[in-house]
Amino acid sequence: MNAPATADLPVVVIGAGPTGLAAAAHLVGRGIEPLVLEAGPVAAAAVRAWSHVRLFSTWGEVVDPAAEKLLAPTGWTRPDPAAHPCGGDWARLYLQPLADALGGRVRTGARVTGVSRAGRDRIVDADREEQPFVVHVEHAGGREERLFARAVVDASGTWGTPGPAGGSGLAALGERAAAEHVTYRVPDLKDPAVRARFAGRRTAVIGTGASAFTALAHLADLARADDGAGTKAVWILRRGISGATFGGGEADQLPARGALGLAAKAAVDQGHADAVTGFRTEAIERDGDGRLVLLAEDGRRLDAVDEVIVLTGFRPDLSFLSEIRLGLDERLQAPVALAPLIDPNQHSCGTVHPHGHRELAHPEQGVYLVGMKSYGRAPTFLAMTGYEQVRSVAAALAGDLEAADKVELTLPETGVCGGAGLFDAPEADETGGCCTPAPQLVQLTAPAAPPVTAAAGGEAPAGGCCGS
């Protein structure tokens, strides 16, 4: 089969999450036909997987302008811009309606297994840029298909590739064998079966980001409940505790994010969680009762726990892009020009500079990694950043370089100097100089609600720095 003329082809968007659907909306607005391929059975499948977690961003920050314009003729009503949705709300009230508005442009149960240039593997130079992209897709049930595209926008996120417990970036010895008692997601303690798994148990929580804060706060809530007596968390930190450990706190311009850190701190202060610092997990063993024992690289051995929650971030799946020429930073696995702007040693969500198609470009012209995946291993992503990325990329693909280069974005500061910080050694106490009202503690778990089904249109790093 000969490849069709490139100009007549759609732009393939990988992933029907927040950024992928926004990319499609911007492309439609530019008169370019998108084809969105979603591996999950429904749109926003990754977001639905953390439907119980509340975002620290408001509705006003997680609705894309081009998407809202596409939704307007359908009678869609925008939720209260000042309210904080949980993942289920975001999917049910915005992402699924957006997917419905895009109609047949969104295909679910379609997993991309490979991207290349038609008739050209990674090595071949001859006439490479004149060839369309070829995208291999595996559908639910095993059927395979080959599609052609004029460009590829990869918004597949990082939800499917969480970081391991091991302190060296590799799975700890015994981690896979203990899989029955290890989870890499914030547990939904409103689910009776999940609640029973953690109630009255001792649980290790590994990680220092918003997801870890959320898990600690949820476990503390369980410990205070009538059915949670004896619930205890052991918080495993690979570095020490400093003034920046719990985020911006009262100085955070996203009050719900500041409150999240304060809730995690309260869990420790009130004795619901014990913090273990400078602990790099090397192995997970079992004691005589079958409980899990964590061993550190420095030889320390913790008391046994019943469950382990690993929340050490996410990393991009680059396997299906192996035939594409990508220019990635050797540390973050983010586009080379973008990496210095998002380095978590220097930047938080709010200190990232505006960026667009030029920072997201690769040696392979016509390929863009956007959304959470564009950040590689950096955890500092906000949804509104992804929306501005795809606005710029859509403009560039339409040939409107003036609009594509005019990248503007105002992000809320964390109130913590030095950014998120991936350094291992404890730092001196760092407090921000931003004077903002003290945040109120917000409800960190979503209210109990009937299960959301695909038919009902409801519903992928967590707590509000949301990926695609």
Side-chain angles (χ1 to χ4, degrees):
M1 175 181 175
N2 294 326
T6 302
D8 300 330
L9 296 172
V11 172
V12 163
V13 178
I14 306 174
T19 306
L21 292 173
H26 281 278
L27 289 166
V28 169
R30 287 281 180 176
I32 299 173
E33 194 65 17
L35 176 59
V36 184
L37 302 175
E38 166 60 45
V42 289
V47 174
R48 297 174 198 263
W50 51 268
S51 61
H52 58 292
V53 177
R54 193 170 298 282
L55 282 73
F56 52 60
S57 297
T58 64
W59 271 114
E61 296 159 339
V62 298
V63 173
D64 176 77
E68 188 170 6
K69 184 177 180 180
L70 191 65
L71 283 165
T74 70
W76 178 78
T77 301
R78 181 176 184 171
D80 178 3
H84 295 266
C86 60
D89 297 332
W90 200 17
R92 179 174 58 87
L93 300 177
Y94 166 61
L95 297 172
Q96 186 62 52
L98 178 54
D100 292 341
L102 288 165
R105 300 181 178 100
V106 178
R107 299 183 188 177
T108 59
R111 179 178 298 278
V112 173
T113 58
V115 179
S116 187
R117 290 278 189 178
R120 307 290 188 274
D121 63 20
R122 185 186 183 115
I123 299 175
V124 178
D125 290 331
D127 298 323
R128 186 176 188 86
E129 292 182 5
E130 284 70 46
Q131 306 306 313
F133 291 95
V134 58
V135 180
H136 282 203
V137 183
E138 182 178 327
H139 295 272
R143 180 176 67 88
E144 293 183 298
E145 183 180 11
R146 182 175 67 161
L147 302 172
F148 294 98
R150 60 184 286 187
V152 175
V153 177
D154 184 355
S156 59
T158 58
W159 179 254
T161 46
S168 300
L170 304 174
L173 300 178
E175 183 174 344
R176 294 185 182 90
E180 177 183 2
H181 295 284
V182 179
T183 181
Y184 300 87
R185 309 287 189 259
V186 176
D188 181 3
L189 298 183
K190 293 291 186 182
D191 182 314
V194 176
R195 192 174 182 87
R197 173 178 172 180
F198 292 93
R201 303 293 182 88
R202 181 177 168 88
T203 299
V205 178
I206 305 176
T208 54
S211 295
F213 291 168
T214 303
L216 290 169
H218 285 188
L219 290 170
D221 286 343
L222 178 58
R224 299 184 192 104
D226 292 341
D227 62 341
T231 302
K232 184 77 172 185
V234 181
W235 185 21
I236 310 297
L237 298 89
R238 292 173 178 172
R239 56 180 183 265
I241 293 180
S242 73
T245 297
F246 296 98
E250 296 181 0
D252 199 318
Q253 290 182 26
L254 283 176
R257 181 172 59 193
L260 183 60
L262 294 176
K265 186 175 186 300
V268 175
D269 292 345
Q270 295 170 12
H272 299 302
D274 294 330
V276 180
T277 61
F279 192 98
R280 290 181 165 276
T281 307
E282 180 179 81
I284 300 176
E285 298 180 350
R286 291 185 183 270
D287 67 7
D289 297 323
R291 302 175 75 204
L292 304 181
V293 177
L294 275 61
L295 282 70
E297 293 176 354
D298 62 8
R300 279 183 290 168
R301 185 184 186 93
L302 299 184
D303 291 340
V305 298
D306 301 289
E307 302 289 338
V308 178
I309 303 174
V310 181
L311 300 169
T312 56
F314 296 85
R315 51 190 61 176
D317 177 9
L318 302 169
S319 61
F320 60 87
L321 300 175
S322 61
E323 294 305 314
I324 292 296
R325 298 174 179 180
L326 300 178
L328 299 175
D329 178 75
E330 66 273 12
R331 294 181 305 136
L332 296 183
Q333 294 180 297
V336 170
L338 176 60
L341 306 181
I342 62 172
D343 184 348
N345 289 294
Q346 304 295 327
H347 296 285
S348 69
C349 297
T351 62
V352 171
H353 296 288
H355 56 274
H357 73 110
R358 295 195 185 277
E359 291 81 6
L360 298 169
H362 292 276
E364 193 81 70
Q365 293 184 25
V367 171
Y368 298 94
L369 275 57
V370 299
M372 188 66 231
K373 189 163 186 176
S374 72
Y375 272 44
R377 299 193 182 202
T380 49
F381 181 77
L382 284 172
M384 62 182 90
T385 304
Y387 296 159
E388 181 62 3
Q389 287 180 342
V390 296
R391 183 207 61 79
S392 175
V393 167
L397 291 174
D400 186 354
L401 294 183
E402 181 179 356
D405 289 336
K406 190 177 181 180
V407 183
E408 298 177 352
L409 186 63
T410 301
L411 297 171
E413 296 282 0
T414 64
V416 177
C417 305
L422 291 185
F423 23 77
D424 296 311
E427 294 291 319
D429 185 26
E430 298 170 328
T431 55
C434 302
C435 298
T436 56
Q440 300 296 312
L441 288 177
V442 297
Q443 182 183 4
L444 295 172
T445 52
V452 179
T453 65
E459 298 256 271
C465 274
C466 303
S468 305

